[in-house]
Structure formats: C-alpha cells, structure tokens
Amino acid sequence: MSYFIVLPATIMLFAVGLLYLSNKHQLLRVKPLTKKLRPIAYLMLLLAFVLMAAKYAVSASIFIGLMVTMLCVIVLPLMALFLKGNKT
C-alpha cells in the first residue's frame, strides 16, 4: 500500500480533529482546545494536499483532499454525538 494514499488521509483526519476540538460547539471535551492550534491544523491540511500533489495531478489531489476533508467534517461531529449519547 502506498504511503501517499494513507498518510495524507491520516494527516487530514488529525487536522480536522484539531479544528473540531478547538471549536466552542464541540461535544467530546468539557472545554475546547485552545484556538492557537487552528493554524497548525490548517498547515497540516496544506501538507496533506502537497503530499497528494506529489503523487497525483494537482486537480485530482485537490478533489481527493476536499472529499476526504468533507467526510471527516461530517463524520467527527456525528461520532461525537453517538459517543456522547442523545440526552434530549
């Protein structure tokens, strides 16, 4: 398995996780992480796009990166909701 497929997706997952956990509306922690971690998360996303651009065409890496980022943005809040439980 190529590291150019797994490594950028993993980096994107951690970056989106940092963005989610630094948001004031996150559900996994009592207090959100500091907002100083957001630039690190954005740099991690950029690094993942650059790693994918090294393997694929730039247009393909942009679309793949956006798709993986979109899936992470959708899955993380839903996972937090299911882990926390619906308390309504």
Side-chain angles (χ1 to χ4, degrees), residues 7-79:
L7 185 62
T10 307
I11 291 172
M12 284 183 185
L13 180 65
F14 284 125
V16 172
L18 277 177
L19 288 174
Y20 176 72
L21 291 174
S22 65
N23 189 349
K24 67 180 179 179
H25 299 292
Q26 57 88 24
L27 297 174
L28 290 175
R29 296 176 46 98
V30 175
K31 287 187 174 183
L33 295 176
T34 179
K35 290 184 180 182
K36 294 179 182 178
L37 293 174
R38 286 185 183 180
I40 294 171
Y42 291 129
L43 285 174
M44 288 172 66
L45 282 174
L46 182 65
L47 173 69
F49 281 116
V50 169
L51 284 174
M52 279 192 294
K55 175 72 175 178
Y56 304 111
V58 176
S59 60
S61 65
I62 289 172
F63 287 120
I64 293 170
L66 288 175
M67 182 188 67
V68 171
T69 304
M70 177 189 63
L71 289 173
C72 292
V73 167
I74 291 170
V75 167
L76 282 174
L78 287 176
M79 186 179 65

